[in-house]
Amino acid sequence: MIMQVDVSMLALVGVLSISHHGLEVCGVFESCLSLEAGMFSEGVRSPPTFLIGQCGYWDWKRREQLSTGGKVGDNSGNNCEGKGSSTSSPFWKMELLMLENFIDGKFLPCHSYIDSYDPSTGEVYCKVPDSGKEEIEAAVEAARKAFPSWSSRSPQERSQVLNRLADLLEQSLEELAQAESKDQGKTLTMARTIDIPRSVQNFRFFASSILHHTTESTQMDHLGCLHYTVRTPVGIAGLISPWNLPLYLLTWKIAPAIAAGNTVIAKPSELTSVTAWMLCKFLNKAGVPPGVVNIVFGTGPKVGEALVTHPEVPLISFTGSQPTAERITQLSAPFCKKLSLELGGKNPAIIFEDANLEDCIPATVRSSFANQGEICLCTSRIFVQRSIYNEFLKRFVEATRKWKVGIPSDPSASMGALISKAHLEKVRGYIKKARAEGAQILCGEGVDRLSLPPRNQAGYFMLPTVITDIKDESCCMKEEIFGPVTCVVPFDSEEEVIRRANSVKYGLAATVWSGHVGRIHRVAQKLQSGLVWTNCWLIRELNLPFGGMKYSGIGREGAKDSHDFFTEIKTITVKY
């Protein structure tokens, strides 16, 4: 089989090595900033266009094969060593995608790099900068230099820049979705319909909301005084985003920060850095001045801690795990930094006997297993009123078995691969603990067979798993698993289920299913959760606050809440 492929497609699958210097394959150069969607083309095009065969890629201009062994166009199943089965070696001999930091409007190389894996194959496909204090110092200098000019622009001017950035992301939606799916392991369908569209919406939403904030004013006529408030940008914002919804949550932080007039230094997860790097190529084109948005890649202990402890970064917005948030709190305390911490959850679904199961069951399957269960809002404890418990459990397990696990590019797949081998083993470890405690595994891991193509056998896949006959004190009912695992248990009374739902240290989200309007309001008010959905899940209104109680975080995000966080309020009194 021979395909003719544009260089932008090669960049996404990891064949080319790209930097700010351009891409180089057999002496052919092209600026990485000019890569656009080309995908598959017909006929012969001028360089840089390449033929990809089963065992390598060719420079069309020089007609040279650039890998060893095998024959391009050979469909016999021979692998690149000519040993028969094509399942024993990679489809292509690939060079690794090389990312670079983006500081002061320029791509800059790093002294060292760390491996990034394709979760669907378990293979290294990308090198991510292993940045540290040196890179953070450079980013702080750039952000400090850019702040006076950017903060003095009117909200209307900043809004225009955000809208242009949204337009550029939308024009590249397919390339970004392909990259997000490959980098994170999620299905291409989810990346294409949720992650990237929401990233676009984040910029458009805050481009609009920045134009509509108001301030307060009061008069004291008997003293001849007028009091009013103003809000001003804080300065340099440190933004640390997670690996589960990479571009979606990174833009949820960048957009309100720069809309308010701040400059930013962002650190994406080292596990999912590609779409953040792709975002950088749009910044200059959208008119974002150098130094306003700086993206520095690397690990938490090195670059994350350098950012958190820098005295000129007065604000940290973090989304991630509770242990990491504890570390951020400790490190930032001597500097009295503003903190926004959006953390995990152990989210309950409460299903009363009058619930509409036709709606409830598919929605609860989705709320339990969407994005491989790697969403902080996913349901991991399902409380079902005893009178309908057996019926619900039977139908829920049947529906879960239909939730297809497949390679991310499979349009029929409901779930892709988990983020890493270590995380897969962690999730499997919880199932082993549940089994050791005497719980029943009704479907999924260790019960049903997972079928995958040969090339994906080493990927980080697991089946959605349902656990029952488990005690509330079990770690599977107390700790955040962050994978495709949910526990189903019965309850008898409203008071009992509220107490049990609130018995964990987290308080991020909950769902309530009932046809009784009074009960819905009553239970929702008593649940210790920052968000409560009733008879639905994950319907978001971005104007309203988002965030959790207890160990699920500090602060809220949303139109007004994000604006308040990324600005300082000042009261001014004028005597007349």
Side-chain angles (χ1 to χ4, degrees), residues 47-98:
T49 302
F50 303 89
L51 295 177
I52 296 181
Q54 193 167 357
C55 300
Y57 55 91
W58 284 49
D59 177 349
W60 179 252
K61 184 177 179 181
R62 286 165 46 181
R63 309 291 207 281
E64 291 179 8
Q65 188 177 358
L66 303 179
S67 67
T68 58
K71 293 189 298 180
V72 174
D74 179 7
N75 283 327
S76 65
N78 292 336
N79 64 20
C80 293
E81 285 81 26
K83 296 179 182 177
S85 171
S86 62
T87 64
S88 61
S89 68
F91 190 76
W92 295 301
K93 286 280 186 178
M94 297 192 299
E95 292 190 25
L96 300 180
L97 187 64
M98 300 289 289

Short mmCIF file of all heavy atoms in Angstrom, two decimals, residues 47-98:
data_model
loop_
_atom_site.label_atom_id
_atom_site.label_comp_id
_atom_site.label_asym_id
_atom_site.label_seq_id
_atom_site.Cartn_x
_atom_site.Cartn_y
_atom_site.Cartn_z
N PRO A 47 7.55 19.21 -3.89
CA PRO A 47 8.03 19.01 -2.52
C PRO A 47 7.57 20.17 -1.63
O PRO A 47 7.40 21.28 -2.10
CB PRO A 47 9.55 18.99 -2.66
CG PRO A 47 9.78 18.61 -4.08
CD PRO A 47 8.64 19.20 -4.85
N PRO A 48 7.37 19.99 -0.28
CA PRO A 48 7.67 18.74 0.39
C PRO A 48 6.47 17.80 0.46
O PRO A 48 5.57 18.02 1.25
CB PRO A 48 8.07 19.17 1.79
CG PRO A 48 7.30 20.44 2.00
CD PRO A 48 7.12 21.07 0.66
N THR A 49 6.43 16.78 -0.39
CA THR A 49 5.43 15.72 -0.38
C THR A 49 6.16 14.40 -0.40
O THR A 49 7.15 14.25 -1.10
CB THR A 49 4.50 15.84 -1.61
OG1 THR A 49 3.88 17.12 -1.59
CG2 THR A 49 3.43 14.77 -1.59
N PHE A 50 5.63 13.43 0.37
CA PHE A 50 6.34 12.17 0.52
C PHE A 50 5.39 11.01 0.32
O PHE A 50 4.19 11.12 0.52
CB PHE A 50 6.96 12.07 1.92
CG PHE A 50 7.87 13.20 2.23
CD1 PHE A 50 7.39 14.36 2.80
CD2 PHE A 50 9.22 13.14 1.89
CE1 PHE A 50 8.22 15.42 3.06
CE2 PHE A 50 10.05 14.20 2.15
CZ PHE A 50 9.56 15.34 2.73
N LEU A 51 5.93 9.88 -0.09
CA LEU A 51 5.19 8.64 -0.17
C LEU A 51 5.49 7.82 1.07
O LEU A 51 6.65 7.60 1.40
CB LEU A 51 5.57 7.84 -1.42
CG LEU A 51 5.22 8.50 -2.75
CD1 LEU A 51 5.72 7.63 -3.89
CD2 LEU A 51 3.72 8.70 -2.88
N ILE A 52 4.44 7.38 1.74
CA ILE A 52 4.61 6.50 2.90
C ILE A 52 4.26 5.10 2.47
O ILE A 52 3.15 4.84 2.00
CB ILE A 52 3.72 6.92 4.07
CG1 ILE A 52 4.14 8.30 4.56
CG2 ILE A 52 3.82 5.91 5.21
CD1 ILE A 52 3.32 8.77 5.72
N GLY A 53 5.17 4.17 2.66
CA GLY A 53 4.90 2.78 2.37
C GLY A 53 4.81 1.99 3.65
O GLY A 53 4.87 2.53 4.75
N GLN A 54 4.71 0.67 3.52
CA GLN A 54 4.54 -0.16 4.70
C GLN A 54 5.78 -0.13 5.58
O GLN A 54 5.69 -0.38 6.77
CB GLN A 54 4.24 -1.59 4.26
CG GLN A 54 3.75 -2.46 5.40
CD GLN A 54 3.16 -3.75 4.90
OE1 GLN A 54 3.07 -3.97 3.71
NE2 GLN A 54 2.77 -4.61 5.82
N CYS A 55 6.92 0.14 5.01
CA CYS A 55 8.16 0.04 5.79
C CYS A 55 9.00 1.30 5.74
O CYS A 55 10.20 1.25 5.96
CB CYS A 55 8.98 -1.14 5.29
SG CYS A 55 8.13 -2.70 5.44
N GLY A 56 8.41 2.43 5.42
CA GLY A 56 9.22 3.63 5.45
C GLY A 56 8.57 4.77 4.73
O GLY A 56 7.42 4.71 4.37
N TYR A 57 9.33 5.84 4.47
CA TYR A 57 8.82 6.95 3.71
C TYR A 57 9.87 7.38 2.69
O TYR A 57 11.06 7.15 2.86
CB TYR A 57 8.41 8.12 4.60
CG TYR A 57 9.46 8.65 5.54
CD1 TYR A 57 10.30 9.68 5.14
CD2 TYR A 57 9.61 8.11 6.81
CE1 TYR A 57 11.27 10.17 6.00
CE2 TYR A 57 10.58 8.60 7.67
CZ TYR A 57 11.40 9.63 7.26
OH TYR A 57 12.36 10.12 8.12
N TRP A 58 9.41 7.96 1.61
CA TRP A 58 10.27 8.30 0.48
C TRP A 58 10.32 9.80 0.30
O TRP A 58 9.35 10.50 0.52
CB TRP A 58 9.71 7.70 -0.82
CG TRP A 58 9.92 6.25 -1.00
CD1 TRP A 58 9.68 5.25 -0.10
CD2 TRP A 58 10.38 5.61 -2.18
NE1 TRP A 58 9.96 4.04 -0.63
CE2 TRP A 58 10.40 4.22 -1.92
CE3 TRP A 58 10.79 6.06 -3.44
CZ2 TRP A 58 10.80 3.28 -2.87
CZ3 TRP A 58 11.18 5.13 -4.38
CH2 TRP A 58 11.20 3.76 -4.09
N ASP A 59 11.46 10.29 -0.13
CA ASP A 59 11.56 11.65 -0.64
C ASP A 59 11.15 11.58 -2.10
O ASP A 59 11.83 10.96 -2.91
CB ASP A 59 13.00 12.15 -0.49
CG ASP A 59 13.20 13.54 -1.07
OD1 ASP A 59 12.29 14.03 -1.75
OD2 ASP A 59 14.27 14.11 -0.82
N TRP A 60 9.99 12.17 -2.42
CA TRP A 60 9.47 12.07 -3.78
C TRP A 60 10.43 12.69 -4.80
O TRP A 60 10.61 12.18 -5.89
CB TRP A 60 8.12 12.75 -3.86
CG TRP A 60 7.51 12.71 -5.23
CD1 TRP A 60 7.38 13.74 -6.09
CD2 TRP A 60 6.99 11.56 -5.88
NE1 TRP A 60 6.79 13.32 -7.25
CE2 TRP A 60 6.55 11.98 -7.15
CE3 TRP A 60 6.86 10.21 -5.52
CZ2 TRP A 60 5.97 11.09 -8.06
CZ3 TRP A 60 6.29 9.34 -6.43
CH2 TRP A 60 5.85 9.78 -7.68
N LYS A 61 11.07 13.79 -4.42
CA LYS A 61 11.95 14.49 -5.36
C LYS A 61 13.15 13.63 -5.71
O LYS A 61 13.56 13.54 -6.87
CB LYS A 61 12.41 15.81 -4.75
CG LYS A 61 13.26 16.67 -5.68
CD LYS A 61 13.60 17.98 -5.00
CE LYS A 61 14.46 18.84 -5.92
NZ LYS A 61 14.83 20.12 -5.26
N ARG A 62 13.73 12.93 -4.68
CA ARG A 62 14.95 12.16 -4.93
C ARG A 62 14.68 10.69 -5.16
O ARG A 62 15.59 9.93 -5.46
CB ARG A 62 15.89 12.34 -3.72
CG ARG A 62 16.53 13.71 -3.69
CD ARG A 62 17.16 14.05 -2.37
NE ARG A 62 17.98 12.96 -1.81
CZ ARG A 62 18.61 13.04 -0.65
NH1 ARG A 62 18.51 14.17 0.06
NH2 ARG A 62 19.32 12.04 -0.20
N ARG A 63 13.41 10.25 -5.00
CA ARG A 63 13.00 8.86 -5.22
C ARG A 63 13.82 7.91 -4.35
O ARG A 63 14.26 6.85 -4.82
CB ARG A 63 13.15 8.44 -6.69
CG ARG A 63 12.52 9.35 -7.73
CD ARG A 63 11.00 9.31 -7.67
NE ARG A 63 10.37 9.62 -8.95
CZ ARG A 63 10.23 10.82 -9.42
NH1 ARG A 63 10.71 11.85 -8.76
NH2 ARG A 63 9.59 11.02 -10.56
N GLU A 64 14.07 8.28 -3.09
CA GLU A 64 14.86 7.42 -2.21
C GLU A 64 14.01 6.94 -1.05
O GLU A 64 13.30 7.72 -0.43
CB GLU A 64 16.08 8.17 -1.65
CG GLU A 64 17.12 8.48 -2.71
CD GLU A 64 18.30 9.23 -2.11
OE1 GLU A 64 18.34 9.36 -0.87
OE2 GLU A 64 19.15 9.68 -2.88
N GLN A 65 14.13 5.63 -0.73
CA GLN A 65 13.44 5.11 0.43
C GLN A 65 14.28 5.39 1.67
O GLN A 65 15.49 5.21 1.67
CB GLN A 65 13.21 3.61 0.30
CG GLN A 65 12.32 3.07 1.40
CD GLN A 65 12.02 1.59 1.24
OE1 GLN A 65 12.45 0.99 0.29
NE2 GLN A 65 11.29 1.03 2.19
N LEU A 66 13.61 5.82 2.74
CA LEU A 66 14.33 6.27 3.93
C LEU A 66 14.13 5.33 5.12
O LEU A 66 14.03 5.76 6.25
CB LEU A 66 13.86 7.68 4.30
CG LEU A 66 14.04 8.70 3.18
CD1 LEU A 66 13.53 10.05 3.64
CD2 LEU A 66 15.49 8.79 2.77
N SER A 67 14.03 4.06 4.88
CA SER A 67 14.04 3.09 5.96
C SER A 67 14.64 1.80 5.46
O SER A 67 14.93 1.67 4.28
CB SER A 67 12.63 2.86 6.50
OG SER A 67 11.84 2.23 5.51
N THR A 68 14.85 0.85 6.34
CA THR A 68 15.56 -0.35 5.96
C THR A 68 14.61 -1.52 5.78
O THR A 68 13.64 -1.66 6.51
CB THR A 68 16.59 -0.73 7.03
OG1 THR A 68 15.91 -0.90 8.26
CG2 THR A 68 17.63 0.36 7.18
N GLY A 69 14.90 -2.39 4.83
CA GLY A 69 14.17 -3.63 4.65
C GLY A 69 12.80 -3.43 4.05
O GLY A 69 12.26 -2.36 4.00
N GLY A 70 12.21 -4.54 3.57
CA GLY A 70 10.86 -4.50 3.06
C GLY A 70 10.77 -3.78 1.72
O GLY A 70 11.73 -3.22 1.22
N LYS A 71 9.56 -3.78 1.14
CA LYS A 71 9.32 -3.11 -0.13
C LYS A 71 8.14 -2.18 0.01
O LYS A 71 7.08 -2.58 0.50
CB LYS A 71 9.02 -4.13 -1.23
CG LYS A 71 10.19 -5.02 -1.60
CD LYS A 71 9.87 -5.83 -2.83
CE LYS A 71 8.69 -6.73 -2.61
NZ LYS A 71 8.37 -7.54 -3.81
N VAL A 72 8.30 -0.95 -0.43
CA VAL A 72 7.17 -0.03 -0.44
C VAL A 72 6.13 -0.57 -1.40
O VAL A 72 6.44 -0.97 -2.52
CB VAL A 72 7.61 1.37 -0.87
CG1 VAL A 72 6.40 2.27 -1.03
CG2 VAL A 72 8.57 1.94 0.15
N GLY A 73 4.89 -0.61 -0.94
CA GLY A 73 3.82 -1.13 -1.77
C GLY A 73 3.60 -2.61 -1.60
O GLY A 73 2.72 -3.19 -2.23
N ASP A 74 4.37 -3.26 -0.73
CA ASP A 74 4.23 -4.69 -0.50
C ASP A 74 3.09 -4.93 0.46
O ASP A 74 3.15 -4.55 1.61
CB ASP A 74 5.54 -5.24 0.08
CG ASP A 74 5.45 -6.73 0.37
OD1 ASP A 74 4.44 -7.34 -0.01
OD2 ASP A 74 6.42 -7.25 0.96
N ASN A 75 2.01 -5.56 0.02
CA ASN A 75 0.87 -5.87 0.87
C ASN A 75 0.90 -7.31 1.37
O ASN A 75 -0.10 -7.82 1.86
CB ASN A 75 -0.45 -5.65 0.12
CG ASN A 75 -0.79 -4.18 0.03
OD1 ASN A 75 -0.49 -3.42 0.93
ND2 ASN A 75 -1.42 -3.78 -1.07
N SER A 76 2.02 -7.95 1.25
CA SER A 76 2.09 -9.36 1.61
C SER A 76 2.12 -9.59 3.11
O SER A 76 2.02 -10.72 3.57
CB SER A 76 3.35 -9.97 1.00
OG SER A 76 4.51 -9.38 1.56
N GLY A 77 2.28 -8.52 3.91
CA GLY A 77 2.34 -8.66 5.35
C GLY A 77 3.75 -8.74 5.88
O GLY A 77 3.97 -8.91 7.07
N ASN A 78 4.76 -8.65 4.99
CA ASN A 78 6.13 -8.66 5.46
C ASN A 78 6.42 -7.43 6.28
O ASN A 78 6.01 -6.34 5.92
CB ASN A 78 7.10 -8.72 4.27
CG ASN A 78 7.02 -10.04 3.54
OD1 ASN A 78 6.61 -11.05 4.12
ND2 ASN A 78 7.39 -10.04 2.27
N ASN A 79 7.13 -7.61 7.38
CA ASN A 79 7.49 -6.46 8.18
C ASN A 79 8.80 -5.89 7.69
O ASN A 79 9.38 -6.36 6.72
CB ASN A 79 7.54 -6.82 9.67
CG ASN A 79 8.62 -7.84 9.99
OD1 ASN A 79 9.57 -8.02 9.22
ND2 ASN A 79 8.48 -8.51 11.12
N CYS A 80 9.29 -4.85 8.39
CA CYS A 80 10.46 -4.14 7.90
C CYS A 80 11.74 -4.93 8.07
O CYS A 80 12.78 -4.52 7.57
CB CYS A 80 10.57 -2.79 8.60
SG CYS A 80 9.22 -1.69 8.14
N GLU A 81 11.69 -6.05 8.78
CA GLU A 81 12.85 -6.92 8.81
C GLU A 81 12.66 -8.09 7.85
O GLU A 81 13.51 -8.96 7.75
CB GLU A 81 13.08 -7.48 10.23
CG GLU A 81 13.65 -6.46 11.20
CD GLU A 81 12.58 -5.55 11.75
OE1 GLU A 81 11.41 -5.95 11.81
OE2 GLU A 81 12.93 -4.41 12.12
N GLY A 82 11.51 -8.13 7.17
CA GLY A 82 11.24 -9.21 6.24
C GLY A 82 11.03 -10.54 6.94
O GLY A 82 11.37 -11.58 6.41
N LYS A 83 10.44 -10.53 8.16
CA LYS A 83 10.30 -11.77 8.93
C LYS A 83 8.87 -12.31 8.94
O LYS A 83 8.52 -13.10 9.81
CB LYS A 83 10.77 -11.53 10.37
CG LYS A 83 12.25 -11.20 10.46
CD LYS A 83 12.65 -10.96 11.89
CE LYS A 83 14.13 -10.58 11.99
NZ LYS A 83 14.53 -10.26 13.37
N GLY A 84 8.04 -11.88 8.04
CA GLY A 84 6.71 -12.47 7.96
C GLY A 84 5.63 -11.55 8.49
O GLY A 84 5.16 -10.69 7.76
N SER A 85 5.25 -11.70 9.73
CA SER A 85 4.10 -10.95 10.27
C SER A 85 4.44 -9.48 10.45
O SER A 85 5.50 -9.14 10.95
CB SER A 85 3.68 -11.55 11.62
OG SER A 85 2.73 -10.70 12.21
N SER A 86 3.48 -8.63 10.07
CA SER A 86 3.69 -7.19 10.24
C SER A 86 3.38 -6.73 11.65
O SER A 86 3.45 -5.56 11.95
CB SER A 86 2.79 -6.41 9.26
OG SER A 86 1.44 -6.67 9.53
N THR A 87 3.01 -7.63 12.54
CA THR A 87 2.61 -7.24 13.89
C THR A 87 3.78 -7.13 14.84
O THR A 87 3.62 -6.67 15.96
CB THR A 87 1.62 -8.25 14.47
OG1 THR A 87 2.28 -9.52 14.61
CG2 THR A 87 0.42 -8.41 13.55
N SER A 88 4.97 -7.56 14.43
CA SER A 88 6.08 -7.61 15.38
C SER A 88 6.94 -6.37 15.38
O SER A 88 7.88 -6.29 16.13
CB SER A 88 6.95 -8.83 15.08
OG SER A 88 7.48 -8.73 13.77
N SER A 89 6.64 -5.39 14.52
CA SER A 89 7.44 -4.18 14.51
C SER A 89 6.57 -3.00 14.12
O SER A 89 5.49 -3.17 13.60
CB SER A 89 8.60 -4.31 13.51
OG SER A 89 8.10 -4.35 12.20
N PRO A 90 7.02 -1.78 14.38
CA PRO A 90 6.22 -0.60 14.06
C PRO A 90 5.88 -0.52 12.58
O PRO A 90 6.63 -0.99 11.73
CB PRO A 90 7.11 0.56 14.50
CG PRO A 90 8.03 -0.03 15.50
CD PRO A 90 8.27 -1.43 15.05
N PHE A 91 4.75 0.11 12.28
CA PHE A 91 4.30 0.28 10.90
C PHE A 91 5.29 1.13 10.11
O PHE A 91 5.54 0.88 8.95
CB PHE A 91 2.93 0.96 10.93
CG PHE A 91 2.24 0.99 9.60
CD1 PHE A 91 1.65 -0.15 9.10
CD2 PHE A 91 2.18 2.15 8.87
CE1 PHE A 91 0.99 -0.12 7.88
CE2 PHE A 91 1.53 2.19 7.66
CZ PHE A 91 0.93 1.05 7.17
N TRP A 92 5.84 2.17 10.75
CA TRP A 92 6.82 3.02 10.11
C TRP A 92 8.06 3.14 10.98
O TRP A 92 7.99 3.06 12.20
CB TRP A 92 6.29 4.45 9.90
CG TRP A 92 5.16 4.54 8.98
CD1 TRP A 92 5.09 4.17 7.69
CD2 TRP A 92 3.86 5.09 9.29
NE1 TRP A 92 3.86 4.42 7.16
CE2 TRP A 92 3.08 4.99 8.12
CE3 TRP A 92 3.29 5.63 10.43
CZ2 TRP A 92 1.77 5.41 8.06
CZ3 TRP A 92 1.99 6.06 10.37
CH2 TRP A 92 1.25 5.94 9.20
N LYS A 93 9.18 3.31 10.37
CA LYS A 93 10.35 3.78 11.10
C LYS A 93 10.17 5.29 11.28
O LYS A 93 10.24 6.04 10.31
CB LYS A 93 11.62 3.49 10.30
CG LYS A 93 12.03 2.03 10.28
CD LYS A 93 12.74 1.68 11.56
CE LYS A 93 13.29 0.27 11.51
NZ LYS A 93 14.04 -0.07 12.72
N MET A 94 9.91 5.73 12.49
CA MET A 94 9.53 7.11 12.69
C MET A 94 10.60 7.90 13.43
O MET A 94 11.19 7.41 14.38
CB MET A 94 8.23 7.19 13.49
CG MET A 94 7.04 6.58 12.79
SD MET A 94 5.50 7.02 13.62
CE MET A 94 5.77 6.29 15.23
N GLU A 95 10.83 9.09 12.97
CA GLU A 95 11.57 10.04 13.78
C GLU A 95 10.60 10.69 14.75
O GLU A 95 9.41 10.76 14.51
CB GLU A 95 12.25 11.09 12.89
CG GLU A 95 13.37 10.51 12.04
CD GLU A 95 14.17 11.60 11.36
OE1 GLU A 95 14.18 12.73 11.89
OE2 GLU A 95 14.75 11.31 10.32
N LEU A 96 11.12 11.16 15.87
CA LEU A 96 10.25 11.66 16.92
C LEU A 96 9.89 13.12 16.72
O LEU A 96 10.69 13.92 16.24
CB LEU A 96 10.94 11.50 18.28
CG LEU A 96 11.30 10.06 18.66
CD1 LEU A 96 11.98 10.05 20.02
CD2 LEU A 96 10.09 9.16 18.67
N LEU A 97 8.67 13.45 17.09
CA LEU A 97 8.22 14.83 17.10
C LEU A 97 8.93 15.56 18.23
O LEU A 97 8.90 15.11 19.37
CB LEU A 97 6.71 14.87 17.31
CG LEU A 97 5.98 16.20 17.20
CD1 LEU A 97 6.07 16.75 15.80
CD2 LEU A 97 4.52 16.01 17.59
N MET A 98 9.61 16.65 17.92
CA MET A 98 10.38 17.40 18.92
C MET A 98 9.67 18.72 19.22
O MET A 98 9.47 19.55 18.33
CB MET A 98 11.79 17.69 18.39
CG MET A 98 12.60 16.45 18.05
SD MET A 98 13.12 15.52 19.50
CE MET A 98 14.35 16.63 20.19
#
